[in-house]
Amino acid sequence: MLLQPSPAQASALLADIGAPTLGLHRATIHQALVGQLGTSELRLASTVTAVDPDQATVTLANGQEVRGSVLVGADGLRSTVRTALLGAQAPSYSGYYCWRGVTDTNPLPSDWVGEMWGAGRRFGGCVIDGGRLYWFLCANGPAGGEDSDTRAALTRATAEFPDYVRQAVKDTPLSAIRRDDIRDRPPVTQWGRGRTTLLGDAAHPMTPNLGQGACQAIEDALAVTDLITEHGPTPDALRRYERFRQPRANAVVKAAHRIGRIAHWSTPTRTRVRNALVRLTPASVLVHQLRASWRLPKTTS
């Protein structure tokens, strides 16, 4: 079953949002950000081993202590800063894993974006950087699995999908494919303490079923920047940021988790029921959901 907005729906949605959609590789975004920041402000390969949230202080693996006015933990799913704030909590496995790939040889239309649901498997993606194809392929299975033969595993996993899907996957170099278990965490209402807060996957890791993981992190960054600019690098600014962002980000976490559970139904009966329900859902409802997830609210003091 293919999930894809019609051209008319896409045009109406983009007109309402007031901006076009643009697919970009994360490395492309990183390069743009570093270009604005300047490499003199960036320190790489610095592992944080200890955190003092109240003092906005981190200790690095080389023993160096670094202190700031505020500390924003944007260190991902297994965040060291989050552990210092909330204690050690293992992320939850979704029940499915995902291959992701990028290929310069794109057999799909230049503006293609969509998703296909099979029995316990999904394929989707979009065109990025003006011509390359980013794709993902999710499949049910146990956590911690590895492919002894990635090509053979992908051939089996794409057997029920159209020829152009199999071609896109086949054309992708193995060096441009990775496999990851899909995990998230239940939403929490404490992201920070003192002069420390969390951002992105460190605060609200979500399954990628709405394509909102990086988007929500960018929204976090915009919000915390606006509020620090307005109120200074203070605990008050961080608490305002948390109150502003938590309802939206946590709602996306819950919605993405629910969609993933339904999308990965695998028995014939449940798959038929799921497909029927999706077909009966009015297009206006789907567009409304997209509009809600894409519209960026404004920060308020």
Side-chain angles (χ1 to χ4, degrees):
M1 180 178 60
L2 174 63
L3 301 177
Q4 187 176 27
S6 69
Q9 292 167 353
S11 296
L13 181 60
L14 296 183
D16 181 67
I17 296 298
T21 58
L22 181 63
L24 295 174
H25 195 288
R26 290 196 185 197
T28 303
I29 297 176
H30 292 167
Q31 290 169 2
L33 293 174
V34 171
Q36 292 296 312
L37 177 65
T39 55
S40 63
E41 303 294 331
L42 188 64
R43 181 187 306 187
L44 302 176
S46 300
T47 301
V48 173
T49 58
V51 177
D52 183 339
D54 296 309
Q55 300 300 320
T57 301
V58 299
T59 302
L60 306 182
N62 63 5
Q64 182 183 5
E65 187 176 271
V66 180
R67 175 174 296 182
S69 299
V70 295
L71 169 62
V72 179
D75 47 342
L77 178 65
R78 294 175 173 82
S79 165
T80 301
V81 180
R82 180 188 176 107
T83 298
L85 287 166
L86 304 180
Q89 303 166 332
S92 303
Y93 181 54
S94 65
Y96 48 92
Y97 53 91
C98 187
W99 294 279
R100 296 180 176 95
V102 175
T103 177
D104 295 333
T105 306
N106 178 18
L108 290 95
S110 60
D111 60 349
W112 185 84
V113 58
E115 187 168 320
M116 301 173 195
W117 289 4
R121 290 179 183 160
R122 285 183 297 153
F123 176 87
C126 65
V127 176
I128 62 172
D129 295 348
R132 297 194 293 168
L133 177 68
Y134 159 73
W135 57 263
F136 64 85
L137 177 61
C138 297
N140 293 353
E146 296 182 358
D147 299 321
S148 58
D149 185 333
T150 300
R151 284 292 180 207
L154 289 169
T155 298
R156 292 191 297 270
T158 55
E160 66 180 295
F161 293 109
D163 290 343
Y164 57 83
V165 168
R166 295 194 292 273
Q167 189 63 49
V169 174
K170 182 179 179 181
D171 289 343
T172 307
L174 287 176
S175 60
I177 299 173
R178 61 176 294 159
R179 171 178 164 167
D180 298 287
D181 292 340
I182 300 301
R183 301 178 184 272
D184 63 3
R185 296 180 188 273
V188 294
T189 56
Q190 181 187 354
W191 289 2
R193 187 178 78 234
R195 294 185 171 274
T196 297
T197 194
L198 301 173
L199 182 153
D201 280 353
H204 46 73
M206 60 188 68
T207 55
N209 302 306
L210 289 172
Q212 282 290 308
C215 297
Q216 291 302 306
I218 291 171
E219 289 188 25
D220 288 347
L222 289 170
V224 76
T225 299
D226 284 350
L227 290 166
I228 287 176
T229 299
E230 182 176 356
H231 300 282
T234 61
D236 177 60
L238 301 185
R239 302 297 86 78
R240 289 173 182 266
Y241 151 72
E242 292 158 8
R243 289 193 297 270
F244 172 70
R245 284 294 300 148
Q246 282 176 1
R248 176 169 165 83
N250 286 347
V252 175
V253 172
K254 294 175 182 177
H257 189 87
R258 286 195 301 269
I259 290 174
R261 292 185 64 182
I262 296 171
H264 278 267
W265 284 353
S266 58
T267 64
T269 300
R270 298 185 84 184
T271 300
R272 285 194 297 270
V273 170
R274 177 199 68 191
N275 293 354
L277 289 173
V278 172
R279 290 191 185 100
L280 291 172
T281 301
S284 60
V285 173
L286 299 177
V287 171
H288 175 75
Q289 292 174 342
L290 283 175
R291 182 181 292 114
S293 66
W294 287 3
R295 187 180 297 280
L296 181 63
K298 296 181 180 179
T299 57
T300 57
S301 57

